């Protein structure tokens, strides 16, 4: 049996990034390295690079998120990027959206253990919760799917003039070009590639930003959203 990889000490940058929540970030890293590996949420080979490749890489996404907004982390998995973002930004109201029970169980345990009162865990797929979850200002995602598919899931969850922030790697520009037509149909009005984490991570974290207009998801989802709203009003009357 292969011996479990050891979690390295937190780098100095982590103290600066997580500030007063540094101890909680360490505990989260320990949970990922232990329960996260045991439950198959992350691979054991990721443990030695948890800080640089995962926690810090996700925490610096905060540079691109406006103050005091609502956020939905689609396909949150083990909580990346949602939980690092929550640790550095208590001004945000964050929903961790994840369809798999074993992952939502882990996320719920982490949220309770770390006292993240501004974080809610919801089990479900993005395409299933539209109309039941209030539309958000920002959708985040990391390593969930190619951009065109991710956008089809995430953009309909946005409120008008919201934005999707997708952490991507070297393929960001290529994916953005390939998804251009799909993004336009989904109501995107502007796209850009950001590089965040100067002085914290090397290489910098790459973020694809997709901003939408007054109809997130386009015509098809406007109709679906209206139907969901009518259904919700009918249920409330009962």
């Amino acid at each position: 049996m292969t011996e479990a990889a050891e979690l390295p000490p937190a780098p100095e940058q982590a103290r600066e990034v997580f500030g007063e929540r540094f101890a909680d970030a360490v505990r989260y890293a320990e949970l990922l390295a232990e329960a996260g590996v045991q439950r198959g949420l992350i691979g054991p080979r990721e443990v030695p690079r948890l800080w640089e490749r995962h926690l810090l890489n996700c925490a610096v996404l905060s540079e691109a998120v406006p103050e005091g907004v609502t956020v939905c982390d689609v396909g949150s998995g083990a909580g990346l990027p949602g939980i690092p973002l929550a640790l550095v930004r208590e001004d945000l109201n964050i929903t961790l959206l994840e369809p798999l029970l074993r992952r939502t169980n882990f996320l719920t345990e982490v949220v309770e253990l770390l006292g993240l009162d501004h974080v809610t865990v919801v089990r479900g797929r993005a395409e299933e919760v539209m109309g039941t979850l209030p539309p958000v200002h920002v959708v985040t995602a990391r390593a969930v799917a190619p951009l065109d598919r991710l956008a089809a899931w995430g953009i309909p969850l946005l409120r008008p003039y919201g934005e999707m922030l997708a952490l991507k790697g070297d393929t960001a520009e290529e994916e953005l070009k390939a998804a251009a037509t799909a993004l336009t149909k989904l109501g995107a009005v502007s796209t850009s590639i950001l590089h965040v984490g100067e002085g914290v991570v090397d290489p910098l974290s790459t973020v694809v930003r997709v901003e939408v207009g007054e109809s997130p998801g386009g015509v098809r989802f406007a109709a679906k959203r209206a139907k969901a709203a009518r259904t919700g009003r009918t249920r409330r009357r009962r």
Side-chain angles (χ1 to χ4, degrees):
M1 190 174 184
T2 307
E3 188 176 338
E6 188 176 343
L7 177 69
E12 194 58 38
Q13 296 96 315
R15 290 183 180 275
E16 298 170 14
V17 170
F18 291 104
E20 294 179 1
R21 285 284 197 169
F22 173 68
D24 290 326
V26 171
R27 186 67 190 115
Y28 176 50
E30 291 170 347
L31 289 167
L32 286 174
E34 296 160 9
V37 172
Q38 290 164 9
R39 301 187 197 182
L41 304 182
I42 66 164
R45 291 183 181 179
E46 297 303 310
V47 173
R49 50 187 185 177
L50 266 178
W51 284 106
E52 287 81 1
R53 186 181 173 90
H54 298 287
L55 273 76
L56 288 172
N57 179 272
C58 290
V60 297
L61 179 62
S62 66
E63 295 176 23
V65 181
E67 288 186 20
V69 298
T70 52
V71 178
C72 182
D73 188 31
V74 173
S76 196
L80 300 164
I83 288 177
L85 185 60
L87 288 170
V88 298
R89 294 287 301 276
E90 295 192 28
D91 61 301
L92 304 176
N93 189 329
I94 300 176
T95 298
L96 306 179
L97 181 63
E98 169 56 47
L100 295 184
L101 180 61
R102 62 188 170 91
R103 292 177 180 168
T104 53
N105 286 342
F106 175 79
L107 293 172
T108 300
E109 291 166 19
V110 171
V111 166
E112 291 176 357
L113 182 66
L114 302 185
L116 297 174
D117 298 333
H118 57 306
V119 177
T120 303
V121 178
V122 173
R123 185 184 175 198
R125 298 183 184 280
E127 58 269 35
E128 297 168 349
V129 301
M130 193 183 73
T132 60
L133 283 183
V136 296
H137 297 90
V138 178
V139 162
T140 59
R142 178 179 187 252
V144 174
L147 189 60
D148 55 348
R149 265 193 291 151
L150 174 61
W153 299 333
I155 286 180
L157 300 178
L158 289 170
R159 57 186 289 167
Y161 307 103
E163 60 185 327
M164 183 177 75
L165 299 172
L167 277 162
K168 290 287 183 179
D170 298 335
T171 62
E173 195 168 337
E174 183 182 321
E175 284 192 50
L176 192 51
K177 286 179 181 175
T181 301
L183 292 174
T184 300
K185 287 180 179 177
L186 287 165
V189 296
S190 176
T191 62
S192 54
I193 295 177
L194 314 176
H195 298 285
V196 295
E198 182 74 44
V200 178
V201 289
D202 185 18
L204 299 178
S205 296
T206 301
V207 181
V208 174
R209 169 182 272 158
V210 179
E211 298 172 87
V212 300
E214 62 182 15
S215 185
V219 176
R220 176 187 162 201
F221 286 98
K224 190 173 180 181
R225 193 179 289 107
K227 182 180 178 183
R230 286 196 299 272
T231 303
R233 286 196 295 269
T234 303
R235 284 173 181 164
R236 284 194 292 274
R237 288 194 200 104
R238 290 175 186 168

